[in-house]
Amino acid sequence: MNLNPAELLDPIFNTLDGLIENEGVYLYLVFVWLALLAIGWIFSGGLRRGMKGNAATVVPAIIFTMQPPMQSPPPIIGIEVDQIWNGDDKIED
C-alpha cells in the first residue's frame, strides 16, 4: 500500500478537474451568489447576533521592553536674570 499523498489524492484531483471542466460556469455562479448573500448577512449584523453578553476578549500578554541604563539626571544650573518690564526700573522724580 502506497501512502504517497500525491498518489492518494490523485483521484480526487482528477474528479475536481473534470467537475470544473464540465460545470465550471455553474459552480462560479453559485459561489458568486453565495458570496453576495454572505456579505449582505454580515452587513445586516449577522456576526453580532451570535454574540451574547460581553463581547470583549481578554488576552493575557507579557511585554518585554528594553530600558536604558540608569543615569543621573543632568545638573540644574540656576541663573538669576534681572527682568526689565516697560522701563519700570527708571526712577521718576
Side-chain angles (χ1 to χ4, degrees):
M1 181 170 179
N2 192 357
L3 295 178
N4 186 3
E7 291 183 18
L8 277 175
L9 296 176
D10 197 35
I12 296 172
F13 289 142
N14 288 336
T15 304
L16 287 175
D17 284 340
L19 183 66
I20 291 171
E21 184 179 334
N22 297 329
E23 308 293 332
V25 173
Y26 301 114
L27 288 173
Y28 175 77
L29 290 174
V30 167
F31 285 128
V32 166
W33 282 106
L34 286 176
L36 290 175
L37 289 173
I39 290 170
W41 177 73
I42 290 169
F43 282 152
S44 69
L47 292 176
R48 284 179 291 187
R49 282 187 216 140
M51 297 180 194
K52 302 277 190 234
N54 189 0
T57 302
V58 177
V59 178
I62 298 174
I63 300 173
F64 294 99
T65 59
M66 298 296 295
Q67 292 183 343
M70 294 299 292
Q71 297 176 355
S72 61
I76 298 174
I77 301 173
I79 300 175
E80 190 173 321
V81 178
D82 293 331
Q83 295 180 351
I84 300 173
W85 293 74
N86 297 328
D88 290 341
D89 62 336
K90 293 181 185 176
I91 301 174
E92 296 182 15
D93 295 316

